[in-house]
Structure formats: structure tokens, C-alpha cells
Amino acid sequence: MRLRNLKNKDELLDNCSYIINDAEKYIGKWNKDVFKNNNPIHIEIGMGKGSFIKNMALSFPDINFVGIEKFDGVVARAINNINDNIPSNLRIIKADANTLNSIFKNEIDVIYLNFSDPWPKKRQIKRRLTSSLFLDVYESLFKNEKTIIMKTDNIGLYAYSLVSLSEYGYIIKEASLDLHNDIDRFNIETEYEKKFSSMGVKINYLKAIKK
Ligand SMILES: C[S@@+](CC[C@H](N)C(=O)[O-])C[C@H]1O[C@@H](n2cnc3c(N)ncnc32)[C@H](O)[C@@H]1O
């Protein structure tokens, strides 16, 4: 995600009450010490400007949400966007997905992967957020049943993910090649989703579960 630099980036990051800077400190204790309730925890990896995670948090007050993003500048954009209406059940973390097993342990119910970078070249496969390297990292994050929900415009990444998740032991419970025409499915759009669907691109969706 390329973004113009925000002039007040540092100020936004320093003064944000819901960013968790020392996230490793809370491993295994997110319910007790961060949210102070026993509600389920859902995370979005690669939240971008944060519209999805913010609107999910506003729509589902009985679920705790954590938005994760690896770039400072993008986190600052998200804070800028979230600040006009901050849900009390939302936190954000600046972290790379490959470090998440030092931040969460047996406490996550759902991972959302929305419009993850497709890394189309063969030599980039390991960087895809549904490669077995990342699925290894996600294993210890989950509480009980493991649920990954993914949306993407990119049919190559989608096909790759269906295979990678299945080979790893996930069952594909739901799949759609045209999410927006599946009228029965509740959907909160992301920034990328809005952009792609306004260009007439169909949105691919999957929900995968592993016991
Ligand atoms: C294409 S954007 C999609 C943003 C948003 N989810 C959406 O749908 O509008 C992908 C985002 O994932 C972030 N990202 C990519 N790899 C990541 C990683 N390994 N860990 C955390 N964030 C990552 C990028 O910085 C970028 O903001």
C-alpha cells in the first residue's frame, strides 16, 4: 500500500490510546489485561487504512477486534481514519504477520486476510499470507477451532490459498467467486474492496476452518 506521508504521523502514533506498542507483553492475556472481558477476539492481518476493522468493531460490540499492520505510515493513516469514532472493542498493533506468535497464544477465534498482497512470482510464494510458513505462525494463535476468512480480487492468490489451506488441514466451509452477488452473506467492505468492485472486479471470498 503506497501512501503519501502524513505530516503528523508521529503525533498520531504517540497520542493514540488504542494502539498497543508493547504487544508481546500481553501474550496469552489479551482478554484479561487488554479487553478486560471474555469476548471472542478477531484479528485482521494487513488492515491498511482500517475501515474494515473499525466498522466490524462498531457492528459487533460483543467481539474484540485487533487490526495489525506492518508499516508505520499506514498505521498512522488508520488512526487518522478511526479517530472520528473510536470503538471501545478495537485495538491496533504495528507488527509483521510473521511475529504474531510472540504476541498471541491460544486466544484468537478468527483471522481476516483482506486483499493481502498477491506476491505473484514463484520466488515470492513464501511471502503470501496463506503460505504454509504463515499458516505455521497462525497455529498457536488460535483458541479452539481455527477460522480464516479471506477476500481478494486476485484469482491467482485465491486459487493458491484454497490449495494451501486445504493441504494444511483446513476445510473450506464457504467459497464464492462473486461475493457481492451472494446476497445472503453479511459483508463489510474494505478500502481495496470498494476500489476494485467500483472497477467491476469480482470479489473472491473463502471461509476455512480447522479443528
Ligand atoms: C493491499 S493492502 C490491503 C489493505 C486492506 N486490508 C484492504 O483490504 O483495504 C495490504 C496491506 O497489508 C499490509 N501487509 C502486507 N504484508 C504484511 C505483513 N506481513 N504483516 C502485516 N501487514 C502486512 C500492507 O502493508 C498493506 O497495508
Side-chain angles (χ1 to χ4, degrees), residues 108-199:
I108 301 304
D109 291 86
V110 177
I111 294 179
Y112 297 98
L113 299 174
N114 291 322
F115 299 82
S116 306
D117 299 328
W119 298 112
K121 298 193 177 126
K122 215 169 177 182
R123 63 181 160 78
Q124 300 172 325
I125 283 179
K126 289 180 178 170
R127 298 191 197 181
R128 296 178 189 163
L129 292 184
T130 46
S131 76
S132 61
L133 286 184
F134 282 101
L135 297 181
D136 281 346
V137 173
Y138 306 155
E139 275 293 285
S140 65
L141 315 186
F142 286 110
K143 190 159 55 180
N144 297 313
E145 196 174 69
K146 305 168 176 72
T147 301
I148 295 182
I149 297 177
M150 176 182 190
K151 297 194 272 187
T152 179
D153 60 300
N154 187 289
I155 193 72
L157 179 66
Y158 185 64
Y160 169 84
S161 302
L162 287 170
V163 174
S164 178
L165 287 160
S166 301
E167 285 181 353
Y168 204 86
Y170 282 84
I171 309 286
I172 307 299
K173 283 282 186 188
E174 297 173 18
S176 171
L177 291 169
D178 189 359
L179 174 64
H180 291 185
N181 278 318
D182 280 356
I183 47 168
D184 290 341
R185 225 181 295 271
F186 176 80
N187 184 43
I188 284 188
E189 288 188 292
T190 78
E191 278 99 8
Y192 269 65
E193 184 169 359
K194 282 192 187 126
K195 188 180 92 182
F196 284 118
S197 63
S198 72
M199 288 158 42

Side-chain angles (χ1 to χ4, degrees), residues 3-178:
L3 293 168
R4 275 179 297 112
N5 262 340
L6 272 179
K7 285 203 183 85
N8 57 343
K9 182 182 92 176
D10 292 339
E11 196 187 321
L12 282 165
L13 292 168
D14 290 346
N15 296 318
C16 178
S17 57
Y18 50 91
I19 190 169
I20 307 291
N21 288 313
D22 41 2
E24 288 87 358
K25 198 168 100 185
Y26 297 104
I27 186 164
K29 298 188 281 199
W30 282 78
N31 274 110
K32 187 170 147 282
D33 289 355
V34 177
F35 292 108
K36 302 186 192 331
N37 62 40
N38 284 321
N39 293 342
I41 303 178
H42 294 196
I43 64 175
E44 183 188 13
I45 304 177
M47 70 171 168
K49 291 192 229 162
S51 290
F52 171 83
I53 201 82
K54 171 186 177 176
N55 288 326
M56 287 293 281
L58 290 170
S59 303
F60 298 100
D62 294 334
I63 298 176
N64 302 313
F65 290 89
V66 183
I68 296 150
E69 171 55 53
K70 70 175 174 178
F71 292 120
D72 260 3
V74 185
V75 174
R77 286 271 165 196
I79 293 169
N80 203 29
N81 169 27
I82 292 164
N83 271 353
D84 60 20
N85 188 5
I86 305 167
S88 60
N89 54 333
L90 174 65
R91 301 290 184 281
I92 58 175
I93 306 175
K94 181 193 146 335
D96 193 300
N98 62 18
T99 67
L100 291 180
N101 51 5
S102 63
I103 295 177
F104 302 107
K105 191 169 173 60
N106 302 336
E107 51 201 330
I108 301 304
D109 291 86
V110 177
I111 294 179
Y112 297 98
L113 299 174
N114 291 322
F115 299 82
S116 306
D117 299 328
W119 298 112
K121 298 193 177 126
K122 215 169 177 182
R123 63 181 160 78
Q124 300 172 325
I125 283 179
K126 289 180 178 170
R127 298 191 197 181
R128 296 178 189 163
L129 292 184
T130 46
S131 76
S132 61
L133 286 184
F134 282 101
L135 297 181
D136 281 346
V137 173
Y138 306 155
E139 275 293 285
S140 65
L141 315 186
F142 286 110
K143 190 159 55 180
N144 297 313
E145 196 174 69
K146 305 168 176 72
T147 301
I148 295 182
I149 297 177
M150 176 182 190
K151 297 194 272 187
T152 179
D153 60 300
N154 187 289
I155 193 72
L157 179 66
Y158 185 64
Y160 169 84
S161 302
L162 287 170
V163 174
S164 178
L165 287 160
S166 301
E167 285 181 353
Y168 204 86
Y170 282 84
I171 309 286
I172 307 299
K173 283 282 186 188
E174 297 173 18
S176 171
L177 291 169
D178 189 359

